[in-house]
Protein backbone atom coordinates (compact mmCIF):
# COMPACT_ATOMS: atom_id res chain seq x y z
CA UNK A 1 0.00 0.00 0.00
CA UNK A 2 2.85 2.38 0.96
CA UNK A 3 4.73 1.52 -2.23
CA UNK A 4 1.62 2.19 -4.27
CA UNK A 5 1.21 5.59 -2.58
CA UNK A 6 4.86 6.43 -3.23
CA UNK A 7 4.45 5.55 -6.90
CA UNK A 8 1.37 7.78 -7.15
CA UNK A 9 3.15 10.69 -5.44
CA UNK A 10 6.26 10.28 -7.61
CA UNK A 11 4.15 10.05 -10.74
CA UNK A 12 2.25 13.18 -9.74
CA UNK A 13 5.48 15.08 -9.04
CA UNK A 14 6.94 13.92 -12.34
CA UNK A 15 3.81 15.07 -14.16
CA UNK A 16 4.03 18.47 -12.44
CA UNK A 17 7.69 18.79 -13.44
CA UNK A 18 6.85 17.89 -17.02
CA UNK A 19 4.00 20.44 -17.14
CA UNK A 20 6.14 23.21 -15.63
CA UNK A 21 9.00 22.37 -18.01
CA UNK A 22 6.64 22.32 -20.98
CA UNK A 23 5.10 25.67 -20.06
CA UNK A 24 8.50 27.17 -19.38
CA UNK A 25 9.90 26.02 -22.71
CA UNK A 26 6.79 27.27 -24.49
CA UNK A 27 7.87 30.83 -23.66
CA UNK A 28 11.16 30.19 -25.48
CA UNK A 29 9.46 28.88 -28.60
CA UNK A 30 6.56 31.30 -28.79
CA UNK A 31 6.56 33.36 -31.99
CA UNK A 32 4.62 36.20 -33.54
CA UNK A 33 3.59 37.71 -30.19
CA UNK A 34 1.57 40.88 -30.70
CA UNK A 35 2.90 43.72 -28.53
CA UNK A 36 -0.59 45.26 -28.35
CA UNK A 37 -1.44 42.95 -25.45
CA UNK A 38 1.42 44.25 -23.33
CA UNK A 39 0.67 47.84 -24.27
CA UNK A 40 -2.92 47.44 -23.13
CA UNK A 41 -1.88 45.86 -19.82
CA UNK A 42 0.60 48.73 -19.28
CA UNK A 43 -2.27 51.21 -19.01
CA UNK A 44 -2.95 52.58 -15.51
CA UNK A 45 -5.28 50.10 -13.85
CA UNK A 46 -9.01 50.76 -14.00
CA UNK A 47 -8.47 53.93 -16.03
CA UNK A 48 -10.38 53.19 -19.26
CA UNK A 49 -13.94 54.49 -19.49
CA UNK A 50 -14.69 52.87 -22.86
CA UNK A 51 -13.42 49.60 -24.31
CA UNK A 52 -13.85 48.88 -28.03
CA UNK A 53 -13.77 45.28 -29.29
CA UNK A 54 -13.89 43.86 -32.79
CA UNK A 55 -12.07 43.29 -36.04
CA UNK A 56 -10.00 45.71 -38.10
CA UNK A 57 -13.27 47.51 -38.85
CA UNK A 58 -13.24 48.65 -35.22
CA UNK A 59 -9.50 49.37 -35.28
CA UNK A 60 -9.78 51.70 -38.29
CA UNK A 61 -13.07 53.33 -37.22
CA UNK A 62 -12.76 54.12 -33.53
CA UNK A 63 -10.18 56.79 -32.70
CA UNK A 64 -9.66 57.28 -28.94
CA UNK A 65 -7.93 60.64 -29.55
CA UNK A 66 -11.16 61.95 -31.07
CA UNK A 67 -13.28 60.52 -28.24
CA UNK A 68 -10.95 62.20 -25.74
CA UNK A 69 -11.05 65.52 -27.58
CA UNK A 70 -14.85 65.46 -27.64
CA UNK A 71 -15.52 64.26 -24.10
CA UNK A 72 -12.33 63.91 -22.05
CA UNK A 73 -13.09 60.19 -21.63
CA UNK A 74 -10.40 57.52 -21.94
CA UNK A 75 -10.93 54.71 -24.43
CA UNK A 76 -8.98 51.88 -26.00
CA UNK A 77 -9.53 49.72 -29.09
CA UNK A 78 -8.66 46.15 -28.12
CA UNK A 79 -9.14 44.82 -31.63
CA UNK A 80 -7.47 42.28 -33.87
CA UNK A 81 -7.68 41.40 -37.56
CA UNK A 82 -10.96 39.60 -38.35
CA UNK A 83 -11.49 39.13 -34.61
CA UNK A 84 -13.86 36.14 -34.28
CA UNK A 85 -16.73 36.63 -31.83
CA UNK A 86 -15.18 33.97 -29.59
CA UNK A 87 -12.01 36.05 -29.40
CA UNK A 88 -14.01 39.21 -28.66
CA UNK A 89 -15.39 37.38 -25.64
CA UNK A 90 -11.92 36.28 -24.47
CA UNK A 91 -10.54 39.78 -25.10
CA UNK A 92 -13.25 41.13 -22.80
CA UNK A 93 -12.17 38.70 -20.10
CA UNK A 94 -8.52 39.66 -20.66
CA UNK A 95 -9.37 43.36 -20.40
CA UNK A 96 -11.26 42.89 -17.14
CA UNK A 97 -8.07 41.61 -15.49
CA UNK A 98 -6.75 45.18 -15.40
CA UNK A 99 -9.61 47.49 -16.43
CA UNK A 100 -13.19 48.20 -15.35
CA UNK A 101 -14.77 50.10 -18.26
CA UNK A 102 -18.29 51.47 -17.96
CA UNK A 103 -18.94 50.94 -21.67
CA UNK A 104 -18.02 48.23 -24.16
CA UNK A 105 -18.52 48.97 -27.87
CA UNK A 106 -18.49 45.82 -30.01
CA UNK A 107 -18.36 45.81 -33.82
CA UNK A 108 -20.44 42.87 -35.11
CA UNK A 109 -18.69 42.31 -38.46
CA UNK A 110 -17.62 38.76 -37.63
CA UNK A 111 -21.24 37.72 -37.15
CA UNK A 112 -21.92 38.55 -40.79
CA UNK A 113 -21.21 36.27 -43.79
CA UNK A 114 -18.72 38.81 -45.21
CA UNK A 115 -16.23 37.79 -42.52
CA UNK A 116 -15.57 34.60 -44.49
CA UNK A 117 -13.28 36.48 -46.88
CA UNK A 118 -10.71 37.05 -44.14
CA UNK A 119 -11.40 34.12 -41.85
CA UNK A 120 -8.61 31.72 -41.00
CA UNK A 121 -7.33 29.96 -37.92
CA UNK A 122 -4.42 32.40 -38.01
CA UNK A 123 -6.82 35.12 -36.90
CA UNK A 124 -7.42 33.13 -33.72
CA UNK A 125 -3.68 32.80 -33.18
CA UNK A 126 -3.09 36.54 -33.70
CA UNK A 127 -5.70 37.31 -31.05
CA UNK A 128 -4.59 34.57 -28.67
CA UNK A 129 -1.03 35.94 -28.64
CA UNK A 130 -2.28 39.12 -26.95
CA UNK A 131 -3.69 37.20 -23.97
CA UNK A 132 -2.12 35.89 -20.79
CA UNK A 133 -2.41 33.02 -18.33
CA UNK A 134 -5.28 30.57 -18.37
CA UNK A 135 -7.28 32.95 -20.53
CA UNK A 136 -4.83 32.37 -23.37
CA UNK A 137 -5.28 28.58 -23.21
CA UNK A 138 -9.04 28.86 -22.91
CA UNK A 139 -9.08 31.12 -25.98
CA UNK A 140 -7.00 28.63 -27.95
CA UNK A 141 -9.42 25.88 -26.95
CA UNK A 142 -12.19 27.78 -28.78
CA UNK A 143 -10.49 27.30 -32.16
CA UNK A 144 -12.75 25.35 -34.52
CA UNK A 145 -9.96 23.43 -36.24
CA UNK A 146 -9.08 20.48 -34.03
CA UNK A 147 -5.81 19.94 -35.93
CA UNK A 148 -4.32 23.24 -34.77
CA UNK A 149 -6.02 23.68 -31.41
CA UNK A 150 -3.19 22.01 -29.44
CA UNK A 151 -0.58 23.85 -31.50
CA UNK A 152 -2.11 27.16 -30.47
CA UNK A 153 -2.45 26.12 -26.85
CA UNK A 154 1.13 24.89 -26.60
CA UNK A 155 3.54 26.76 -28.87
CA UNK A 156 6.32 24.27 -28.16
CA UNK A 157 4.39 21.64 -30.09
CA UNK A 158 4.21 23.89 -33.15
CA UNK A 159 7.54 25.69 -32.93
CA UNK A 160 9.91 23.16 -31.36
CA UNK A 161 12.30 23.48 -34.30
CA UNK A 162 12.96 27.17 -33.70
CA UNK A 163 16.18 26.46 -31.80
CA UNK A 164 17.80 25.70 -35.17
CA UNK A 165 17.24 29.28 -36.36
CA UNK A 166 20.16 31.71 -36.31
CA UNK A 167 17.91 34.40 -34.87
CA UNK A 168 16.47 32.25 -32.08
CA UNK A 169 16.67 34.45 -28.98
CA UNK A 170 14.56 32.61 -26.43
CA UNK A 171 11.67 34.21 -24.53
CA UNK A 172 10.52 37.65 -25.59
CA UNK A 173 10.95 40.71 -23.44
CA UNK A 174 7.85 42.38 -22.10
CA UNK A 175 6.95 45.50 -24.07
CA UNK A 176 7.03 48.72 -22.06
CA UNK A 177 4.86 51.80 -22.47
CA UNK A 178 1.41 52.21 -23.98
CA UNK A 179 0.27 52.63 -27.55
CA UNK A 180 -0.15 56.42 -28.04
CA UNK A 181 -2.95 55.70 -30.53
CA UNK A 182 -4.68 53.46 -27.94
CA UNK A 183 -5.34 50.66 -30.43
CA UNK A 184 -6.49 52.87 -33.31
CA UNK A 185 -5.03 52.07 -36.75
CA UNK A 186 -4.35 55.12 -38.89
CA UNK A 187 -5.18 55.30 -42.59
CA UNK A 188 -4.41 58.47 -44.58
CA UNK A 189 -7.06 59.63 -47.11
CA UNK A 190 -6.04 58.95 -50.69
CA UNK A 191 -9.31 58.77 -52.67
CA UNK A 192 -11.33 61.96 -53.05
CA UNK A 193 -14.48 60.71 -54.74
CA UNK A 194 -17.95 60.93 -53.21
CA UNK A 195 -19.58 57.49 -53.15
CA UNK A 196 -22.59 57.64 -50.88
CA UNK A 197 -23.55 54.52 -48.94
CA UNK A 198 -27.10 53.41 -49.64
CA UNK A 199 -28.23 50.68 -47.23
CA UNK A 200 -30.50 47.89 -48.48
CA UNK A 201 -33.85 47.01 -46.95
CA UNK A 202 -34.06 43.56 -45.37
CA UNK A 203 -35.49 41.02 -47.82
CA UNK A 204 -34.86 37.60 -46.29
CA UNK A 205 -34.39 35.99 -42.91
CA UNK A 206 -30.82 35.04 -42.08
CA UNK A 207 -29.72 32.36 -39.63
CA UNK A 208 -26.82 33.49 -37.47
CA UNK A 209 -24.10 30.98 -36.67
CA UNK A 210 -24.99 29.45 -33.31
CA UNK A 211 -21.44 29.67 -31.94
CA UNK A 212 -21.40 33.42 -32.64
CA UNK A 213 -24.77 33.84 -30.91
CA UNK A 214 -23.52 31.83 -27.92
CA UNK A 215 -20.41 33.99 -27.67
CA UNK A 216 -22.44 37.19 -27.95
CA UNK A 217 -24.63 35.90 -25.13
CA UNK A 218 -21.51 35.34 -23.01
CA UNK A 219 -20.38 38.90 -23.76
CA UNK A 220 -23.83 40.20 -22.76
CA UNK A 221 -23.73 38.12 -19.56
CA UNK A 222 -20.19 39.25 -18.66
CA UNK A 223 -21.08 42.91 -19.22
CA UNK A 224 -24.17 42.63 -17.02
CA UNK A 225 -22.19 40.89 -14.27
CA UNK A 226 -19.64 43.72 -14.32
CA UNK A 227 -22.19 46.55 -14.60
CA UNK A 228 -20.95 47.46 -18.10
CA UNK A 229 -23.19 48.99 -20.75
CA UNK A 230 -22.80 47.06 -24.02
CA UNK A 231 -23.30 48.91 -27.30
CA UNK A 232 -23.17 46.97 -30.57
CA UNK A 233 -22.09 48.83 -33.70
CA UNK A 234 -21.36 48.29 -37.35
CA UNK A 235 -18.75 50.52 -38.92
CA UNK A 236 -19.61 51.64 -42.46
CA UNK A 237 -18.44 49.25 -45.19
CA UNK A 238 -19.81 48.30 -48.59
CA UNK A 239 -22.07 45.25 -48.24
CA UNK A 240 -24.50 43.25 -50.36
CA UNK A 241 -28.09 42.12 -49.77
CA UNK A 242 -27.11 38.93 -47.92
CA UNK A 243 -24.96 40.82 -45.45
CA UNK A 244 -27.63 43.49 -45.00
CA UNK A 245 -30.11 40.73 -44.13
CA UNK A 246 -27.60 39.33 -41.64
CA UNK A 247 -27.01 42.76 -40.09
CA UNK A 248 -30.74 43.37 -39.67
CA UNK A 249 -31.02 39.95 -38.03
CA UNK A 250 -28.27 40.91 -35.59
CA UNK A 251 -30.12 44.13 -34.70
CA UNK A 252 -33.36 42.20 -34.19
CA UNK A 253 -31.55 39.79 -31.87
CA UNK A 254 -30.00 42.73 -29.97
CA UNK A 255 -33.45 44.29 -29.56
CA UNK A 256 -34.75 41.00 -28.15
CA UNK A 257 -31.98 41.15 -25.55
CA UNK A 258 -32.44 44.86 -24.79
CA UNK A 259 -28.98 45.75 -26.17
CA UNK A 260 -28.32 49.14 -27.79
CA UNK A 261 -26.88 49.23 -31.30
CA UNK A 262 -25.60 51.86 -33.71
CA UNK A 263 -25.68 51.18 -37.45
CA UNK A 264 -23.29 53.52 -39.26
CA UNK A 265 -24.39 52.23 -42.65
CA UNK A 266 -27.83 53.64 -41.91
CA UNK A 267 -26.31 56.79 -40.37
CA UNK A 268 -23.86 57.47 -43.20
CA UNK A 269 -25.86 60.31 -44.73
CA UNK A 270 -26.60 61.89 -41.34
CA UNK A 271 -22.91 62.05 -40.34
CA UNK A 272 -21.76 62.97 -43.87
CA UNK A 273 -19.84 59.73 -44.41
CA UNK A 274 -18.96 58.85 -48.01
CA UNK A 275 -16.90 55.99 -49.38
CA UNK A 276 -13.81 57.23 -51.13
CA UNK A 277 -13.50 60.40 -49.10
CA UNK A 278 -13.82 58.70 -45.72
CA UNK A 279 -12.62 55.18 -46.45
CA UNK A 280 -12.44 52.39 -48.97
CA UNK A 281 -14.98 49.58 -49.20
CA UNK A 282 -13.40 47.85 -46.21
CA UNK A 283 -11.51 50.25 -43.90
CA UNK A 284 -12.14 53.84 -42.86
CA UNK A 285 -9.48 56.54 -42.99
CA UNK A 286 -8.75 59.26 -40.44
CA UNK A 287 -11.56 61.47 -41.82
CA UNK A 288 -14.08 58.65 -41.59
CA UNK A 289 -12.94 57.63 -38.11
CA UNK A 290 -13.28 61.25 -36.97
CA UNK A 291 -16.96 61.25 -37.97
CA UNK A 292 -17.67 57.85 -36.42
CA UNK A 293 -15.74 58.49 -33.19
CA UNK A 294 -17.30 61.92 -32.80
CA UNK A 295 -20.79 60.42 -33.11
CA UNK A 296 -20.03 57.67 -30.56
CA UNK A 297 -18.44 60.19 -28.17
CA UNK A 298 -21.42 62.54 -28.32
CA UNK A 299 -23.86 59.62 -28.01
CA UNK A 300 -22.13 58.48 -24.83
CA UNK A 301 -21.84 62.01 -23.42
CA UNK A 302 -25.41 63.06 -24.19
CA UNK A 303 -26.78 59.93 -22.53
CA UNK A 304 -24.43 60.43 -19.54
CA UNK A 305 -23.28 56.82 -19.69
CA UNK A 306 -19.88 57.54 -18.11
CA UNK A 307 -20.41 58.31 -14.44
CA UNK A 308 -17.09 57.43 -12.80
CA UNK A 309 -14.42 59.04 -14.97
CA UNK A 310 -11.22 59.64 -13.01
CA UNK A 311 -8.63 62.11 -14.29
CA UNK A 312 -5.13 60.73 -14.87
CA UNK A 313 -2.39 63.23 -15.65
CA UNK A 314 -0.20 60.64 -17.37
CA UNK A 315 -3.01 59.65 -19.73
CA UNK A 316 -4.06 63.27 -20.30
CA UNK A 317 -0.57 64.11 -21.55
CA UNK A 318 -0.53 61.15 -23.96
CA UNK A 319 -4.03 61.82 -25.27
CA UNK A 320 -3.31 65.55 -25.75
CA UNK A 321 -0.08 64.87 -27.60
CA UNK A 322 -1.78 62.31 -29.84
CA UNK A 323 -4.72 64.66 -30.44
CA UNK A 324 -2.34 67.39 -31.60
CA UNK A 325 -0.65 64.89 -33.92
CA UNK A 326 -4.07 63.80 -35.19
CA UNK A 327 -4.75 67.39 -36.31
CA UNK A 328 -1.92 67.03 -38.80
CA UNK A 329 -3.37 63.80 -40.18
CA UNK A 330 -6.86 65.28 -40.35
CA UNK A 331 -5.52 68.21 -42.38
CA UNK A 332 -3.43 66.10 -44.77
CA UNK A 333 -4.88 66.48 -48.29
CA UNK A 334 -7.87 68.33 -46.84
CA UNK A 335 -9.05 71.35 -48.87
CA UNK A 336 -12.54 71.72 -47.41
CA UNK A 337 -12.12 74.94 -45.45
CA UNK A 338 -15.20 74.15 -43.36
CA UNK A 339 -13.63 70.93 -42.08
CA UNK A 340 -10.27 72.62 -41.52
CA UNK A 341 -11.84 75.39 -39.45
CA UNK A 342 -13.91 72.83 -37.54
CA UNK A 343 -10.75 70.85 -36.71
CA UNK A 344 -8.77 73.99 -35.82
CA UNK A 345 -11.46 75.02 -33.32
CA UNK A 346 -10.90 71.77 -31.39
CA UNK A 347 -7.30 70.67 -31.91
CA UNK A 348 -4.00 72.37 -31.16
CA UNK A 349 -2.50 74.11 -34.19
CA UNK A 350 -1.31 77.48 -35.47
CA UNK A 351 -3.02 79.66 -38.08
CA UNK A 352 -1.52 82.43 -40.20
CA UNK A 353 -4.33 84.56 -41.61
CA UNK A 354 -4.60 87.33 -44.21
CA UNK A 355 -7.88 89.00 -45.21
CA UNK A 356 -8.16 91.58 -47.97
CA UNK A 357 -11.16 93.72 -47.13
CA UNK A 358 -13.64 94.42 -49.91
CA UNK A 359 -17.35 94.76 -50.67
CA UNK A 360 -17.74 91.50 -52.57
CA UNK A 361 -16.54 89.23 -49.73
CA UNK A 362 -18.60 86.03 -49.72
CA UNK A 363 -18.22 85.51 -45.98
CA UNK A 364 -21.67 84.97 -44.49
CA UNK A 365 -22.79 84.64 -40.88
CA UNK A 366 -21.92 80.94 -40.73
CA UNK A 367 -18.41 81.51 -42.08
CA UNK A 368 -17.94 84.49 -39.79
CA UNK A 369 -18.71 82.35 -36.75
CA UNK A 370 -16.35 79.60 -37.92
CA UNK A 371 -13.50 82.11 -38.28
CA UNK A 372 -14.17 83.60 -34.86
CA UNK A 373 -14.37 80.11 -33.30
CA UNK A 374 -10.71 79.46 -34.17
CA UNK A 375 -9.73 82.62 -32.29
CA UNK A 376 -9.83 85.42 -34.89
CA UNK A 377 -10.87 88.69 -33.23
CA UNK A 378 -12.56 90.33 -36.21
CA UNK A 379 -16.14 90.65 -37.45
CA UNK A 380 -15.92 89.92 -41.18
CA UNK A 381 -19.47 91.13 -41.82
CA UNK A 382 -19.54 94.43 -39.90
CA UNK A 383 -15.94 95.18 -40.91
CA UNK A 384 -16.11 93.74 -44.42
CA UNK A 385 -13.93 96.49 -45.94
CA UNK A 386 -11.24 96.32 -43.25
CA UNK A 387 -7.98 94.42 -43.99
CA UNK A 388 -7.00 91.96 -41.26
CA UNK A 389 -3.79 90.01 -40.50
CA UNK A 390 -3.31 87.61 -37.57
CA UNK A 391 -1.38 84.73 -36.07
CA UNK A 392 -3.31 82.28 -33.87
CA UNK A 393 -1.85 79.61 -31.57
CA UNK A 394 -4.21 77.00 -30.08
CA UNK A 395 -7.20 79.32 -30.34
CA UNK A 396 -5.43 82.35 -28.85
CA UNK A 397 -4.29 85.48 -30.71
CA UNK A 398 -0.52 85.84 -30.81
CA UNK A 399 -0.73 89.08 -32.75
CA UNK A 400 -3.24 90.80 -35.04
CA UNK A 401 -3.28 93.98 -37.09
CA UNK A 402 -5.08 95.88 -39.82
CA UNK A 403 -1.72 96.25 -41.58
CA UNK A 404 0.87 93.61 -42.66
CA UNK A 405 2.79 91.92 -39.84
CA UNK A 406 6.52 91.23 -39.45
CA UNK A 407 7.29 89.79 -36.02
CA UNK A 408 8.93 86.93 -34.15
CA UNK A 409 7.19 84.42 -31.93
CA UNK A 410 8.92 81.62 -29.98
CA UNK A 411 12.10 82.24 -31.98
CA UNK A 412 10.38 81.95 -35.38
CA UNK A 413 9.93 84.90 -37.73
CA UNK A 414 6.49 85.54 -39.23
CA UNK A 415 5.78 87.84 -42.15
CA UNK A 416 2.10 88.06 -43.02
CA UNK A 417 1.99 90.36 -46.02
CA UNK A 418 -0.37 91.17 -48.90
CA UNK A 419 1.61 89.26 -51.52
CA UNK A 420 3.27 86.53 -49.44
CA UNK A 421 3.33 84.84 -46.05
CA UNK A 422 6.69 83.67 -44.69
CA UNK A 423 6.86 81.30 -41.71
CA UNK A 424 10.48 80.67 -40.79
CA UNK A 425 12.03 79.37 -43.99
CA UNK A 426 8.71 78.46 -45.64
CA UNK A 427 7.29 80.94 -48.16
CA UNK A 428 3.72 81.02 -49.46
CA UNK A 429 3.51 83.46 -52.37
CA UNK A 430 0.41 82.42 -54.33
CA UNK A 431 -2.08 84.17 -52.09
CA UNK A 432 -5.78 84.69 -52.55
CA UNK A 433 -7.85 87.57 -51.27
CA UNK A 434 -8.33 85.48 -48.15
CA UNK A 435 -5.46 83.20 -47.10
CA UNK A 436 -5.50 80.72 -44.22
CA UNK A 437 -2.48 78.56 -43.40
CA UNK A 438 -2.94 75.79 -40.83
CA UNK A 439 0.29 74.33 -39.38
CA UNK A 440 2.02 73.05 -36.28
CA UNK A 441 4.76 74.85 -34.34
CA UNK A 442 7.57 73.00 -36.10
CA UNK A 443 6.03 73.16 -39.58
CA UNK A 444 5.97 69.37 -39.48
CA UNK A 445 2.74 69.68 -41.45
CA UNK A 446 0.81 72.51 -43.02
CA UNK A 447 -2.21 73.10 -45.21
CA UNK A 448 -2.85 76.40 -46.95
CA UNK A 449 -6.17 77.58 -48.35
CA UNK A 450 -6.62 80.57 -50.61
CA UNK A 451 -10.01 82.03 -51.51
CA UNK A 452 -10.63 84.62 -54.21
CA UNK A 453 -14.10 86.02 -53.70
CA UNK A 454 -14.48 87.31 -57.25
CA UNK A 455 -13.27 84.19 -59.09
CA UNK A 456 -14.85 81.34 -57.16
CA UNK A 457 -17.04 80.59 -54.20
CA UNK A 458 -15.25 78.19 -51.91
CA UNK A 459 -17.84 78.62 -49.19
CA UNK A 460 -21.04 76.65 -48.74
CA UNK A 461 -22.93 78.38 -51.51
CA UNK A 462 -20.37 77.35 -54.09
CA UNK A 463 -18.37 74.24 -53.26
CA UNK A 464 -18.82 70.96 -51.48
CA UNK A 465 -15.33 69.79 -50.58
CA UNK A 466 -13.61 68.82 -53.83
CA UNK A 467 -16.77 69.38 -55.89
CA UNK A 468 -16.74 73.00 -57.08
CA UNK A 469 -19.32 73.48 -59.82
CA UNK A 470 -20.33 77.09 -59.20
CA UNK A 471 -17.86 79.76 -60.30
CA UNK A 472 -17.61 83.52 -60.01
CA UNK A 473 -20.08 86.23 -59.13
Amino acid sequence: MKNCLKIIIKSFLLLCILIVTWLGLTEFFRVDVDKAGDQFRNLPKNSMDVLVLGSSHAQYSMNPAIIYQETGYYSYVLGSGCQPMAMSYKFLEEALKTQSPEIVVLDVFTMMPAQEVCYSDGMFYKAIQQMTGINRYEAAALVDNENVKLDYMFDLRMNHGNWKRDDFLGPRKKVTGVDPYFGYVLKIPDDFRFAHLIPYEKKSDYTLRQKDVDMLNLIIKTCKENNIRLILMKAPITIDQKNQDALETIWEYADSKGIEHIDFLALAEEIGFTMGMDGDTWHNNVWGSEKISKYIANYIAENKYVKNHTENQELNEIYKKTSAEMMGYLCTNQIDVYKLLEFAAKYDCMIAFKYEGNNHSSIGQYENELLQNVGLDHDFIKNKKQDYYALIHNGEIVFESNTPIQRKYNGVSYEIMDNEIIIGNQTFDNLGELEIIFFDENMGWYQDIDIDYASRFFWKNGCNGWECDVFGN
Side-chain angles (χ1 to χ4, degrees):
M1 184 67 180
K2 288 184 179 179
N3 289 336
C4 183
L5 184 59
K6 286 181 180 179
I7 292 173
I8 292 173
I9 293 173
K10 288 181 179 179
S11 298
F12 177 75
L13 290 174
L14 180 60
L15 179 61
C16 290
I17 292 171
L18 287 172
I19 291 173
V20 171
T21 302
W22 181 284
L23 294 177
L25 287 174
T26 290
E27 282 291 325
F28 279 83
F29 290 90
R30 185 164 290 167
V31 297
D32 196 31
V33 177
D34 195 319
K35 66 179 182 180
D38 281 347
Q39 290 177 313
F40 177 79
R41 287 182 288 273
N42 289 339
L43 291 166
K45 287 192 174 182
N46 300 320
S47 60
M48 292 296 106
D49 302 303
V50 181
L51 176 70
V52 181
L53 301 172
S55 68
S56 58
H57 294 265
Q59 292 175 298
Y60 281 86
S61 297
M62 297 296 290
N63 189 337
I66 303 295
I67 294 174
Y68 174 81
Q69 197 67 32
E70 291 289 330
T71 64
Y73 300 152
Y74 307 142
S75 59
Y76 199 100
V77 186
L78 196 56
S80 61
C82 296
Q83 188 180 99
M85 193 58 60
M87 293 301 99
S88 295
Y89 167 57
K90 298 310 291 185
F91 264 124
L92 175 58
E93 287 199 328
E94 184 70 22
L96 292 179
K97 292 180 180 179
T98 57
Q99 298 296 326
S100 54
E102 292 190 70
I103 298 168
V104 165
V105 179
L106 171 64
D107 187 273
V108 297
F109 169 72
T110 52
M111 293 187 74
M112 299 164 60
Q115 60 86 21
E116 294 172 359
V117 302
C118 69
Y119 184 87
S120 71
D121 292 311
M123 296 305 161
F124 277 91
Y125 192 64
K126 193 173 183 65
I128 290 164
Q129 294 294 59
Q130 295 186 46
M131 301 179 195
T132 57
I134 191 66
N135 196 50
R136 184 183 186 281
Y137 295 99
E138 290 176 349
L142 293 172
V143 175
D144 293 327
N145 190 332
E146 296 293 335
N147 294 325
V148 300
K149 184 177 294 187
L150 289 177
D151 285 343
Y152 290 176
M153 293 177 73
F154 306 105
D155 300 67
L156 180 59
R157 173 186 161 109
M158 179 168 54
N159 305 315
H160 57 272
N162 280 353
W163 65 273
K164 299 176 183 179
R165 291 175 8 198
D166 292 336
D167 61 345
F168 177 60
L169 299 175
R172 69 185 179 101
K173 293 182 179 179
K174 187 175 183 291
V175 175
T176 59
V178 303
D179 175 11
Y181 288 177
F182 297 89
Y184 169 65
V185 178
L186 176 71
K187 179 178 171 65
I188 299 296
D190 59 5
D191 183 352
F192 310 117
R193 295 171 296 168
F194 289 81
H196 294 281
L197 275 172
I198 303 175
Y200 296 90
E201 296 292 332
K202 183 180 178 182
K203 285 188 176 181
S204 305
D205 289 332
Y206 180 84
T207 302
L208 300 172
R209 201 167 76 115
Q210 189 56 49
K211 183 174 182 179
D212 291 336
V213 173
D214 292 342
M215 291 299 158
L216 176 57
N217 286 338
L218 286 173
I219 292 172
I220 293 171
K221 180 174 181 290
T222 302
C223 285
K224 286 182 177 179
E225 290 174 347
N226 290 274
N227 198 28
I228 297 170
R229 181 179 295 275
L230 176 63
I231 302 173
L232 304 183
M233 67 161 276
K234 181 70 219 80
I237 59 172
T238 301
I239 63 174
D240 57 17
Q241 184 65 59
K242 182 179 180 181
N243 281 278
Q244 184 70 50
D245 291 342
L247 186 59
E248 294 299 332
T249 302
I250 294 169
W251 299 152
E252 290 168 3
Y253 186 78
D255 288 337
S256 73
K257 294 288 185 176
I259 303 300
E260 295 172 68
H261 50 86
I262 300 174
D263 186 348
F264 283 105
L265 279 77
L267 288 170
E269 184 175 355
E270 178 181 330
I271 66 174
F273 186 99
T274 60
M275 284 300 178
M277 295 292 290
D278 296 316
D280 56 31
T281 58
W282 211 239
H283 291 137
N284 301 317
N285 60 39
V286 67
W287 294 346
S289 69
E290 188 269 340
K291 294 175 180 178
I292 294 164
S293 302
K294 180 179 176 181
Y295 184 95
I296 287 280
N298 291 331
Y299 179 85
I300 290 171
E302 288 169 6
N303 286 288
K304 299 180 180 179
Y305 286 160
V306 174
K307 303 182 186 303
N308 300 306
H309 172 76
T310 302
E311 289 293 310
N312 183 291
Q313 190 58 39
E314 175 190 356
L315 287 175
N316 283 341
E317 290 176 4
I318 299 173
Y319 275 109
K320 287 177 181 177
K321 183 177 180 181
T322 303
S323 296
E325 181 183 343
M326 206 56 61
M327 175 63 179
Y329 292 126
L330 287 168
C331 291
T332 300
N333 299 326
Q334 180 62 263
I335 67 169
D336 184 335
V337 68
Y338 288 92
K339 295 303 296 183
L340 288 166
L341 290 170
E342 179 187 329
F343 297 151
K346 292 184 178 180
Y347 298 90
D348 290 351
C349 71
M350 298 188 72
I351 298 173
F353 186 87
K354 183 212 81 167
Y355 169 75
E356 183 180 312
N358 52 63
N359 282 320
H360 63 268
S361 167
S362 57
I363 297 177
Q365 189 59 45
Y366 182 72
E367 289 79 20
N368 193 40
E369 290 177 4
L370 281 176
L371 292 169
Q372 292 178 344
N373 285 343
V374 300
L376 295 169
D377 188 17
H378 186 85
D379 190 318
F380 295 91
I381 295 178
K382 289 182 179 179
N383 301 309
K384 182 182 291 189
K385 297 180 182 180
Q386 182 75 60
D387 293 348
Y388 183 70
Y389 308 80
L391 180 70
I392 301 294
H393 189 187
N394 298 347
E396 300 290 334
I397 292 174
V398 177
F399 37 72
E400 62 178 341
S401 176
N402 297 131
T403 58
I405 293 171
Q406 289 181 289
R407 299 187 193 178
K408 276 194 171 185
Y409 173 64
N410 286 346
V412 179
S413 61
Y414 294 89
E415 297 182 36
I416 306 176
M417 318 292 286
D418 286 324
N419 59 345
E420 66 180 5
I421 293 177
I422 302 174
I423 303 171
N425 297 321
Q426 185 71 45
T427 300
F428 303 86
D429 55 10
N430 185 25
L431 306 187
E433 293 170 297
L434 186 153
E435 187 76 17
I436 313 175
I437 303 172
F438 304 84
F439 60 102
D440 71 350
E441 287 186 75
N442 303 314
M443 286 297 285
W445 63 267
Y446 63 83
Q447 185 68 312
D448 60 306
I449 296 292
D450 57 281
I451 299 173
D452 287 323
Y453 311 128
S455 62
R456 105 178 152 169
F457 284 146
F458 198 90
W459 303 99
K460 269 189 181 294
N461 58 350
C463 293
N464 179 16
W466 281 254
E467 296 180 338
C468 291
D469 298 323
V470 180
F471 288 87
N473 238 7

